[in-house]
Amino acid sequence: MSFRLRVFLLTLVVAVVATGATAWLSLRLTAQEIAHTQQEATRHVADIAETVRSYARRHGTWAGVSDRVALLAADNKQRIRLVNLYGQVTVDTDTLANRAARPVVSPPTLINPRPALALDAATAERAGGKIDVVVLDELTRYRRTVVYSGCLTENGREPPPVSPDAYGVPFPALNTEQDPDCARRADDTQQYAGDADLAAVTGCRAASNHVSCLIQAFGDRVDTFAPEPLQLFLGAVDDDPVTLLGRPLAASIGAVLVLAVIGTALVARHMARPLRSLTAASRRLAAGHLDTRVRTTGRDEVGELSRSFNRMAAALEGSETAQRRLLAGVAHELRTPMSNVLGYLEALQDGVVPPSRELFGSLHEEVLLQRRILDDLQDLTLAESGHLAYRRTDFDLADLVEAGRVAHLAVAEAGGVRLTAEATGPLPVHGDQDRLRQVLGNLVTNALRYTDPGGAVLLRAFPAGDRAILEVRDTGCGIAAEDLPFVFQRFWRADPARDRETGGSGLGLTIARQIVLDHAGTVDVTSTPGRGSTFRVTFPLHVDV
Ligand code: ADP
C-alpha cells in the first residue's frame, strides 16, 4: 500500500470516527433535550388547559379570553390556538401577533368548561324524593351564574371567582347580584328555561337508571347556556425541535464527511509529495547524477530528511571529486619518476647512454621515490578512512623530542645545520609513540631540508594550560603567505621541481596532520619567507588520576 494511500486511510479513519462520535454525542444530547422539552410541554398543556377552562367557568363566556391567552402564550413561550368543535377559531396567538397562522402538529387537548353533575346513587338515595328539586336548584343556580358572569364580562367587569359546590357545579364565591342589569338578564333566562328544566328532570322519573338520567338531563340543559368546549393546540410545525434534527443533521454530517475526505486526500497528497521527490532524487543519485539535490522546506521531519539527503549527496559528490583529484595527483606524481626511469632504460637499450654506477644509482633513487609515494598514499588512505591502527600508551613528550633530535643529528650535521632541543618536562600524553615520532620526523626532515647550511633548527616542547606544545622552528627559506593555506594539502609543494629532487612525496604534512587530529591535537604553521618557519603541534596533556 502506498504511503499516500496509508496516510489518506489513516486520516480518514480518524476523521470519520471523530465526526461519528460528535454526531452521536450531539444526537444523544439533543434527544435528551427533546425528551425534557416534551415533558415540559406536556406539563404546559395541562397548566394552560386548566387556566383557560377556569376562565370560561368564572366568566361564563369565551368572550375576552384572547387577552388571557396572549399572556399565557408569552409566559410559556408557546403558540396557542383555540378552536371550537366545528373548526371555528376562537383565539390564535399567531393571528394576535399579526402573523399567518402556522399549521398545528400536536393532537388537541379538549377544554370543556361545562359542569358535569357529580351525583351518585348514595347521594340520590339520601335525598330521596327531593332529588329532583336538588337537580333543578343546581340547574337554576348554574344558569343564573353563567348568564350573570357572562353579562358582567361583556360589560367589561370582572365576575366573582367560582368554585365547585358539592355537586360539582361552579358556585360564585361572592354575592352575584350586585349588577341589576345582569341580574335581570339572568332572571329573564330563568323564566323561559325553567319549564324546560322541569320537564327534563321530571322526565327521568320513569327512567330505569334515575341517577344517570338526571346527570344526562343536567348536561343537556347546561349545554344551552355554558361556554362551548374548545380544542387547545400548542406549538407549530416549524418550532418543533424533532423536525430540526432529522434531515438537516444528516446533511451536515454528510457535508462534514465529504469535507473530511477531500481534506484528507489533500493532506495525503501534500505529505507524500516531498517523499516522491526524494525517491526520484535518490534514483537519479543512484544512476550517477551526483549533483542531484532536493528542495528543502520546513523544519519538520520531512524537511530534515530532505536536508540529510542533500548533505549525503554533497558528501558523495565531494568524495568522488576528492577521489578523482587524488587519482589525478597520484598519476601526475608517478608519471615523472616513471618517465625518467623509462627514458634511461630506453637510452640504455639503444646504447645511447653507457651503463654506469651513477646511472643505476639515479634509477634506484627514482624507484625509491615511487615506493615512498605509494607507501605514503597507503598510510594516508588508512588514516583518512580511520583505519590506521594506533597503539596508544602513556609517555613523556619531552623524551620524544630528545629522541627526535638524536635521530636527525647526523643529517643535520651533514647539511651544516645546528639542531637543538629544549624540553620542559614532564609532558605526559596518551598516544601512539611511533606515529607521533613519524609526525615529528616529518617536521624535522622538512625543517632541515628547507634550511641552508649555517642555519638552525630548534625543537621545543612545553606545557600551556591543559595542553602540551611541540614546536619545530627553523631559520630556512620560509613559506610565502599565500602558500600557507595549502601546506597541509596532499601533493602540494611550494616548488615542485626542487622539492621532488629532495625526495619529498608531497604527502608528509597531510599524513602528519591526520595523525595529530586522530590524537585530539591541532597543528598550524607560521612563516616569514627568508627568515624561517615554525610548525606548532598541540596535544591534550594526559594527567593520570
Ligand atoms: P614533502 O614530502 O614534499 O616535503 P610535505 O607535505 O612534507 O611534502 O611538505 C609540503 C611542502 O611544504 C613542501 O614541498 C615544501 O614546499 C613546504 N614545506 C614544508 N615544510 C617546510 C619548511 N619547514 N620550510 C619551508 N617549506 C616547507
Side-chain angles (χ1 to χ4, degrees), residues 406-450:
V406 172
H408 290 84
L409 215 47
V411 181
E413 272 172 13
V417 177
R418 196 160 53 90
L419 177 62
T420 49
E422 277 173 20
T424 319
L427 295 166
V429 290
H430 183 73
D432 186 323
Q433 274 201 67
D434 292 338
R435 290 295 177 191
L436 294 187
R437 196 177 294 129
Q438 181 184 345
V439 172
L440 180 64
N442 182 267
L443 296 180
V444 178
T445 308
N446 280 349
L448 293 175
R449 189 182 287 163
Y450 300 108

mmCIF file of all heavy atoms in Angstrom, residues 406-450:
data_model
loop_
_atom_site.group_PDB
_atom_site.id
_atom_site.type_symbol
_atom_site.label_atom_id
_atom_site.label_comp_id
_atom_site.label_asym_id
_atom_site.label_seq_id
_atom_site.Cartn_x
_atom_site.Cartn_y
_atom_site.Cartn_z
ATOM 1 N N VAL A 406 68.218 13.416 18.488
ATOM 2 C CA VAL A 406 69.326 12.481 18.328
ATOM 3 C C VAL A 406 69.247 11.796 16.964
ATOM 4 O O VAL A 406 70.234 11.677 16.235
ATOM 5 C CB VAL A 406 69.317 11.438 19.472
ATOM 6 C CG1 VAL A 406 70.344 10.347 19.215
ATOM 7 C CG2 VAL A 406 69.566 12.126 20.807
ATOM 8 N N ALA A 407 68.001 11.394 16.582
ATOM 9 C CA ALA A 407 67.826 10.644 15.338
ATOM 10 C C ALA A 407 68.235 11.467 14.123
ATOM 11 O O ALA A 407 68.689 10.914 13.116
ATOM 12 C CB ALA A 407 66.374 10.197 15.210
ATOM 13 N N HIS A 408 68.033 12.808 14.190
ATOM 14 C CA HIS A 408 68.296 13.614 12.998
ATOM 15 C C HIS A 408 69.619 14.355 13.063
ATOM 16 O O HIS A 408 69.933 15.136 12.155
ATOM 17 C CB HIS A 408 67.159 14.625 12.780
ATOM 18 C CG HIS A 408 65.883 13.954 12.358
ATOM 19 N ND1 HIS A 408 64.992 13.398 13.249
ATOM 20 C CD2 HIS A 408 65.370 13.709 11.124
ATOM 21 C CE1 HIS A 408 63.979 12.860 12.613
ATOM 22 N NE2 HIS A 408 64.191 13.025 11.295
ATOM 23 N N LEU A 409 70.366 14.109 14.133
ATOM 24 C CA LEU A 409 71.619 14.836 14.326
ATOM 25 C C LEU A 409 72.577 14.655 13.140
ATOM 26 O O LEU A 409 73.167 15.628 12.647
ATOM 27 C CB LEU A 409 72.282 14.351 15.626
ATOM 28 C CG LEU A 409 73.035 15.406 16.430
ATOM 29 C CD1 LEU A 409 72.214 16.689 16.583
ATOM 30 C CD2 LEU A 409 73.425 14.840 17.784
ATOM 31 N N ALA A 410 72.704 13.402 12.690
ATOM 32 C CA ALA A 410 73.659 13.102 11.618
ATOM 33 C C ALA A 410 73.308 13.871 10.351
ATOM 34 O O ALA A 410 74.176 14.515 9.727
ATOM 35 C CB ALA A 410 73.652 11.603 11.339
ATOM 36 N N VAL A 411 72.005 13.840 9.980
ATOM 37 C CA VAL A 411 71.573 14.542 8.767
ATOM 38 C C VAL A 411 71.831 16.029 8.904
ATOM 39 O O VAL A 411 72.285 16.715 7.969
ATOM 40 C CB VAL A 411 70.075 14.282 8.506
ATOM 41 C CG1 VAL A 411 69.615 14.974 7.232
ATOM 42 C CG2 VAL A 411 69.787 12.803 8.456
ATOM 43 N N ALA A 412 71.520 16.578 10.133
ATOM 44 C CA ALA A 412 71.707 17.999 10.361
ATOM 45 C C ALA A 412 73.169 18.383 10.178
ATOM 46 O O ALA A 412 73.490 19.370 9.504
ATOM 47 C CB ALA A 412 71.233 18.353 11.774
ATOM 48 N N GLU A 413 74.031 17.582 10.779
ATOM 49 C CA GLU A 413 75.469 17.886 10.686
ATOM 50 C C GLU A 413 75.932 17.826 9.243
ATOM 51 O O GLU A 413 76.655 18.715 8.764
ATOM 52 C CB GLU A 413 76.270 16.909 11.546
ATOM 53 C CG GLU A 413 76.400 17.437 12.966
ATOM 54 C CD GLU A 413 77.019 16.414 13.926
ATOM 55 O OE1 GLU A 413 77.562 15.396 13.420
ATOM 56 O OE2 GLU A 413 76.936 16.636 15.142
ATOM 57 N N ALA A 414 75.441 16.803 8.523
ATOM 58 C CA ALA A 414 75.823 16.671 7.116
ATOM 59 C C ALA A 414 75.392 17.894 6.322
ATOM 60 O O ALA A 414 76.062 18.325 5.387
ATOM 61 C CB ALA A 414 75.199 15.411 6.526
ATOM 62 N N GLY A 415 74.240 18.483 6.729
ATOM 63 C CA GLY A 415 73.721 19.648 5.998
ATOM 64 C C GLY A 415 74.245 20.952 6.562
ATOM 65 O O GLY A 415 73.822 22.029 6.109
ATOM 66 N N GLY A 416 75.086 20.868 7.578
ATOM 67 C CA GLY A 416 75.644 22.094 8.155
ATOM 68 C C GLY A 416 74.618 22.903 8.928
ATOM 69 O O GLY A 416 74.699 24.125 9.017
ATOM 70 N N VAL A 417 73.613 22.208 9.484
ATOM 71 C CA VAL A 417 72.556 22.913 10.234
ATOM 72 C C VAL A 417 72.662 22.527 11.709
ATOM 73 O O VAL A 417 72.889 21.369 12.041
ATOM 74 C CB VAL A 417 71.171 22.531 9.690
ATOM 75 C CG1 VAL A 417 70.065 23.186 10.503
ATOM 76 C CG2 VAL A 417 71.056 22.917 8.221
ATOM 77 N N ARG A 418 72.499 23.559 12.574
ATOM 78 C CA ARG A 418 72.593 23.289 14.004
ATOM 79 C C ARG A 418 71.221 22.834 14.507
ATOM 80 O O ARG A 418 70.223 23.543 14.329
ATOM 81 C CB ARG A 418 73.018 24.559 14.741
ATOM 82 C CG ARG A 418 73.518 24.326 16.154
ATOM 83 C CD ARG A 418 74.355 25.512 16.607
ATOM 84 N NE ARG A 418 73.610 26.759 16.438
ATOM 85 C CZ ARG A 418 72.820 27.274 17.391
ATOM 86 N NH1 ARG A 418 72.696 26.679 18.559
ATOM 87 N NH2 ARG A 418 72.181 28.401 17.162
ATOM 88 N N LEU A 419 71.194 21.639 15.100
ATOM 89 C CA LEU A 419 69.903 21.087 15.571
ATOM 90 C C LEU A 419 69.911 21.028 17.087
ATOM 91 O O LEU A 419 70.759 20.355 17.681
ATOM 92 C CB LEU A 419 69.702 19.675 14.984
ATOM 93 C CG LEU A 419 68.438 18.943 15.431
ATOM 94 C CD1 LEU A 419 67.175 19.672 15.024
ATOM 95 C CD2 LEU A 419 68.427 17.520 14.860
ATOM 96 N N THR A 420 69.015 21.773 17.756
ATOM 97 C CA THR A 420 68.955 21.760 19.223
ATOM 98 C C THR A 420 67.545 21.464 19.692
ATOM 99 O O THR A 420 66.585 21.617 18.932
ATOM 100 C CB THR A 420 69.369 23.136 19.799
ATOM 101 O OG1 THR A 420 68.631 24.134 19.103
ATOM 102 C CG2 THR A 420 70.851 23.380 19.645
ATOM 103 N N ALA A 421 67.448 21.038 20.969
ATOM 104 C CA ALA A 421 66.118 20.734 21.537
ATOM 105 C C ALA A 421 66.000 21.321 22.927
ATOM 106 O O ALA A 421 66.967 21.322 23.689
ATOM 107 C CB ALA A 421 65.908 19.228 21.583
ATOM 108 N N GLU A 422 64.824 21.844 23.265
ATOM 109 C CA GLU A 422 64.543 22.372 24.611
ATOM 110 C C GLU A 422 63.221 21.768 25.042
ATOM 111 O O GLU A 422 62.197 22.025 24.400
ATOM 112 C CB GLU A 422 64.304 23.887 24.559
ATOM 113 C CG GLU A 422 65.505 24.752 24.554
ATOM 114 C CD GLU A 422 65.085 26.216 24.329
ATOM 115 O OE1 GLU A 422 63.889 26.548 24.560
ATOM 116 O OE2 GLU A 422 65.944 26.977 23.890
ATOM 117 N N ALA A 423 63.268 20.947 26.103
ATOM 118 C CA ALA A 423 62.004 20.338 26.540
ATOM 119 C C ALA A 423 61.777 20.614 28.008
ATOM 120 O O ALA A 423 62.655 20.366 28.822
ATOM 121 C CB ALA A 423 62.012 18.848 26.270
ATOM 122 N N THR A 424 60.613 21.179 28.366
ATOM 123 C CA THR A 424 60.253 21.422 29.754
ATOM 124 C C THR A 424 59.300 20.294 30.158
ATOM 125 O O THR A 424 58.092 20.368 29.924
ATOM 126 C CB THR A 424 59.537 22.781 29.891
ATOM 127 O OG1 THR A 424 60.211 23.724 29.065
ATOM 128 C CG2 THR A 424 59.497 23.255 31.317
ATOM 129 N N GLY A 425 59.877 19.233 30.726
ATOM 130 C CA GLY A 425 59.060 18.070 31.053
ATOM 131 C C GLY A 425 58.669 18.068 32.502
ATOM 132 O O GLY A 425 59.041 18.990 33.222
ATOM 133 N N PRO A 426 57.987 17.091 32.988
ATOM 134 C CA PRO A 426 57.412 16.039 32.148
ATOM 135 C C PRO A 426 56.147 16.526 31.416
ATOM 136 O O PRO A 426 55.457 17.392 31.914
ATOM 137 C CB PRO A 426 57.069 14.947 33.160
ATOM 138 C CG PRO A 426 56.812 15.674 34.435
ATOM 139 C CD PRO A 426 57.682 16.899 34.425
ATOM 140 N N LEU A 427 55.898 15.932 30.237
ATOM 141 C CA LEU A 427 54.710 16.282 29.455
ATOM 142 C C LEU A 427 53.961 14.994 29.121
ATOM 143 O O LEU A 427 54.088 14.451 28.024
ATOM 144 C CB LEU A 427 55.118 16.989 28.155
ATOM 145 C CG LEU A 427 55.796 18.352 28.309
ATOM 146 C CD1 LEU A 427 56.447 18.760 27.004
ATOM 147 C CD2 LEU A 427 54.786 19.397 28.754
ATOM 148 N N PRO A 428 53.194 14.494 30.098
ATOM 149 C CA PRO A 428 52.527 13.213 29.869
ATOM 150 C C PRO A 428 51.437 13.331 28.788
ATOM 151 O O PRO A 428 50.573 14.198 28.887
ATOM 152 C CB PRO A 428 51.903 12.884 31.227
ATOM 153 C CG PRO A 428 51.747 14.191 31.910
ATOM 154 C CD PRO A 428 52.825 15.092 31.401
ATOM 155 N N VAL A 429 51.557 12.492 27.777
ATOM 156 C CA VAL A 429 50.493 12.437 26.765
ATOM 157 C C VAL A 429 50.135 10.977 26.534
ATOM 158 O O VAL A 429 50.877 10.063 26.899
ATOM 159 C CB VAL A 429 50.917 13.074 25.416
ATOM 160 C CG1 VAL A 429 51.051 14.569 25.532
ATOM 161 C CG2 VAL A 429 52.171 12.449 24.884
ATOM 162 N N HIS A 430 48.943 10.771 25.913
ATOM 163 C CA HIS A 430 48.473 9.414 25.656
ATOM 164 C C HIS A 430 48.347 9.272 24.148
ATOM 165 O O HIS A 430 47.574 9.990 23.516
ATOM 166 C CB HIS A 430 47.115 9.196 26.322
ATOM 167 C CG HIS A 430 46.599 7.798 26.162
ATOM 168 N ND1 HIS A 430 47.143 6.743 26.849
ATOM 169 C CD2 HIS A 430 45.600 7.308 25.406
ATOM 170 C CE1 HIS A 430 46.485 5.642 26.504
ATOM 171 N NE2 HIS A 430 45.544 5.954 25.626
ATOM 172 N N GLY A 431 49.160 8.346 23.560
ATOM 173 C CA GLY A 431 49.071 8.214 22.108
ATOM 174 C C GLY A 431 50.020 7.154 21.590
ATOM 175 O O GLY A 431 50.679 6.447 22.361
ATOM 176 N N ASP A 432 50.047 7.088 20.243
ATOM 177 C CA ASP A 432 50.908 6.098 19.591
ATOM 178 C C ASP A 432 52.280 6.732 19.380
ATOM 179 O O ASP A 432 52.453 7.630 18.548
ATOM 180 C CB ASP A 432 50.281 5.694 18.261
ATOM 181 C CG ASP A 432 51.038 4.560 17.604
ATOM 182 O OD1 ASP A 432 52.288 4.542 17.698
ATOM 183 O OD2 ASP A 432 50.375 3.689 16.994
ATOM 184 N N GLN A 433 53.286 6.262 20.164
ATOM 185 C CA GLN A 433 54.623 6.873 20.129
ATOM 186 C C GLN A 433 55.213 6.840 18.738
ATOM 187 O O GLN A 433 55.803 7.821 18.273
ATOM 188 C CB GLN A 433 55.553 6.110 21.064
ATOM 189 C CG GLN A 433 55.503 6.589 22.486
ATOM 190 C CD GLN A 433 56.759 6.189 23.229
ATOM 191 O OE1 GLN A 433 57.856 6.691 22.918
ATOM 192 N NE2 GLN A 433 56.628 5.280 24.171
ATOM 193 N N ASP A 434 55.079 5.688 18.039
ATOM 194 C CA ASP A 434 55.700 5.544 16.725
ATOM 195 C C ASP A 434 55.124 6.545 15.733
ATOM 196 O O ASP A 434 55.842 7.168 14.964
ATOM 197 C CB ASP A 434 55.499 4.118 16.202
ATOM 198 C CG ASP A 434 56.302 3.123 17.033
ATOM 199 O OD1 ASP A 434 57.278 3.574 17.677
ATOM 200 O OD2 ASP A 434 55.934 1.929 17.055
ATOM 201 N N ARG A 435 53.770 6.685 15.770
ATOM 202 C CA ARG A 435 53.121 7.607 14.833
ATOM 203 C C ARG A 435 53.494 9.053 15.149
ATOM 204 O O ARG A 435 53.698 9.864 14.246
ATOM 205 C CB ARG A 435 51.606 7.434 14.884
ATOM 206 C CG ARG A 435 51.120 6.124 14.304
ATOM 207 C CD ARG A 435 51.410 6.061 12.819
ATOM 208 N NE ARG A 435 51.018 4.769 12.258
ATOM 209 C CZ ARG A 435 51.335 4.359 11.051
ATOM 210 N NH1 ARG A 435 52.107 5.113 10.273
ATOM 211 N NH2 ARG A 435 50.939 3.194 10.610
ATOM 212 N N LEU A 436 53.595 9.387 16.454
ATOM 213 C CA LEU A 436 53.943 10.762 16.792
ATOM 214 C C LEU A 436 55.408 11.031 16.457
ATOM 215 O O LEU A 436 55.782 12.140 16.079
ATOM 216 C CB LEU A 436 53.641 11.044 18.262
ATOM 217 C CG LEU A 436 52.139 10.984 18.588
ATOM 218 C CD1 LEU A 436 51.876 11.441 20.024
ATOM 219 C CD2 LEU A 436 51.330 11.843 17.629
ATOM 220 N N ARG A 437 56.218 9.963 16.553
ATOM 221 C CA ARG A 437 57.630 10.110 16.137
ATOM 222 C C ARG A 437 57.680 10.373 14.625
ATOM 223 O O ARG A 437 58.463 11.187 14.152
ATOM 224 C CB ARG A 437 58.413 8.836 16.484
ATOM 225 C CG ARG A 437 59.906 9.050 16.446
ATOM 226 C CD ARG A 437 60.678 7.811 16.847
ATOM 227 N NE ARG A 437 60.464 7.456 18.247
ATOM 228 C CZ ARG A 437 60.117 6.246 18.672
ATOM 229 N NH1 ARG A 437 59.879 5.274 17.788
ATOM 230 N NH2 ARG A 437 59.961 6.004 19.944
ATOM 231 N N GLN A 438 56.772 9.716 13.901
ATOM 232 C CA GLN A 438 56.688 9.919 12.447
ATOM 233 C C GLN A 438 56.334 11.390 12.154
ATOM 234 O O GLN A 438 56.919 12.014 11.265
ATOM 235 C CB GLN A 438 55.604 8.999 11.878
ATOM 236 C CG GLN A 438 55.433 9.089 10.373
ATOM 237 C CD GLN A 438 54.265 8.211 9.893
ATOM 238 O OE1 GLN A 438 53.774 7.358 10.624
ATOM 239 N NE2 GLN A 438 53.854 8.436 8.662
ATOM 240 N N VAL A 439 55.388 11.939 12.943
ATOM 241 C CA VAL A 439 54.988 13.347 12.754
ATOM 242 C C VAL A 439 56.184 14.259 12.978
ATOM 243 O O VAL A 439 56.525 15.107 12.141
ATOM 244 C CB VAL A 439 53.843 13.713 13.724
ATOM 245 C CG1 VAL A 439 53.561 15.206 13.689
ATOM 246 C CG2 VAL A 439 52.590 12.922 13.388
ATOM 247 N N LEU A 440 56.832 14.042 14.146
ATOM 248 C CA LEU A 440 57.982 14.886 14.472
ATOM 249 C C LEU A 440 59.065 14.733 13.407
ATOM 250 O O LEU A 440 59.663 15.723 12.943
ATOM 251 C CB LEU A 440 58.528 14.502 15.858
ATOM 252 C CG LEU A 440 59.741 15.306 16.323
ATOM 253 C CD1 LEU A 440 59.378 16.778 16.491
ATOM 254 C CD2 LEU A 440 60.318 14.756 17.624
ATOM 255 N N GLY A 441 59.305 13.493 12.992
ATOM 256 C CA GLY A 441 60.323 13.204 11.973
ATOM 257 C C GLY A 441 60.034 13.973 10.691
ATOM 258 O O GLY A 441 60.928 14.579 10.089
ATOM 259 N N ASN A 442 58.756 13.970 10.306
ATOM 260 C CA ASN A 442 58.385 14.684 9.083
ATOM 261 C C ASN A 442 58.681 16.179 9.207
ATOM 262 O O ASN A 442 59.248 16.804 8.306
ATOM 263 C CB ASN A 442 56.903 14.441 8.802
ATOM 264 C CG ASN A 442 56.455 15.120 7.525
ATOM 265 O OD1 ASN A 442 55.985 16.233 7.564
ATOM 266 N ND2 ASN A 442 56.671 14.456 6.384
ATOM 267 N N LEU A 443 58.315 16.740 10.373
ATOM 268 C CA LEU A 443 58.531 18.183 10.567
ATOM 269 C C LEU A 443 60.018 18.513 10.573
ATOM 270 O O LEU A 443 60.466 19.493 9.963
ATOM 271 C CB LEU A 443 57.869 18.635 11.879
ATOM 272 C CG LEU A 443 56.340 18.500 11.941
ATOM 273 C CD1 LEU A 443 55.806 18.971 13.290
ATOM 274 C CD2 LEU A 443 55.690 19.308 10.814
ATOM 275 N N VAL A 444 60.819 17.651 11.285
ATOM 276 C CA VAL A 444 62.260 17.921 11.392
ATOM 277 C C VAL A 444 62.915 17.748 10.021
ATOM 278 O O VAL A 444 63.750 18.565 9.592
ATOM 279 C CB VAL A 444 62.923 17.004 12.440
ATOM 280 C CG1 VAL A 444 64.427 17.248 12.508
ATOM 281 C CG2 VAL A 444 62.298 17.226 13.805
ATOM 282 N N THR A 445 62.544 16.691 9.295
ATOM 283 C CA THR A 445 63.124 16.458 7.962
ATOM 284 C C THR A 445 62.862 17.658 7.056
ATOM 285 O O THR A 445 63.767 18.159 6.376
ATOM 286 C CB THR A 445 62.509 15.193 7.332
ATOM 287 O OG1 THR A 445 62.630 14.116 8.247
ATOM 288 C CG2 THR A 445 63.200 14.835 6.032
ATOM 289 N N ASN A 446 61.611 18.133 7.068
ATOM 290 C CA ASN A 446 61.284 19.319 6.267
ATOM 291 C C ASN A 446 62.141 20.510 6.677
ATOM 292 O O ASN A 446 62.696 21.227 5.837
ATOM 293 C CB ASN A 446 59.804 19.688 6.421
ATOM 294 C CG ASN A 446 58.916 18.817 5.550
ATOM 295 O OD1 ASN A 446 59.425 18.087 4.682
ATOM 296 N ND2 ASN A 446 57.609 18.857 5.781
ATOM 297 N N ALA A 447 62.201 20.725 8.007
ATOM 298 C CA ALA A 447 62.941 21.886 8.506
ATOM 299 C C ALA A 447 64.396 21.829 8.038
ATOM 300 O O ALA A 447 64.954 22.830 7.576
ATOM 301 C CB ALA A 447 62.867 21.927 10.028
ATOM 302 N N LEU A 448 65.021 20.639 8.168
ATOM 303 C CA LEU A 448 66.425 20.504 7.762
ATOM 304 C C LEU A 448 66.549 20.678 6.245
ATOM 305 O O LEU A 448 67.485 21.300 5.738
ATOM 306 C CB LEU A 448 66.967 19.124 8.177
ATOM 307 C CG LEU A 448 67.094 18.901 9.700
ATOM 308 C CD1 LEU A 448 67.511 17.458 9.985
ATOM 309 C CD2 LEU A 448 68.126 19.872 10.293
ATOM 310 N N ARG A 449 65.504 20.122 5.541
ATOM 311 C CA ARG A 449 65.552 20.149 4.084
ATOM 312 C C ARG A 449 65.489 21.578 3.546
ATOM 313 O O ARG A 449 66.140 21.926 2.578
ATOM 314 C CB ARG A 449 64.382 19.322 3.550
ATOM 315 C CG ARG A 449 64.428 19.081 2.065
ATOM 316 C CD ARG A 449 63.208 18.296 1.634
ATOM 317 N NE ARG A 449 63.259 16.892 2.036
ATOM 318 C CZ ARG A 449 62.198 16.091 2.071
ATOM 319 N NH1 ARG A 449 61.004 16.576 1.782
ATOM 320 N NH2 ARG A 449 62.322 14.829 2.423
ATOM 321 N N TYR A 450 64.688 22.420 4.197
ATOM 322 C CA TYR A 450 64.493 23.783 3.656
ATOM 323 C C TYR A 450 65.349 24.815 4.392
ATOM 324 O O TYR A 450 65.052 26.009 4.352
ATOM 325 C CB TYR A 450 63.012 24.143 3.700
ATOM 326 C CG TYR A 450 62.195 23.165 2.881
ATOM 327 C CD1 TYR A 450 61.361 22.222 3.475
ATOM 328 C CD2 TYR A 450 62.325 23.141 1.480
ATOM 329 C CE1 TYR A 450 60.665 21.298 2.732
ATOM 330 C CE2 TYR A 450 61.634 22.210 0.730
ATOM 331 C CZ TYR A 450 60.810 21.289 1.359
ATOM 332 O OH TYR A 450 60.147 20.383 0.601
#
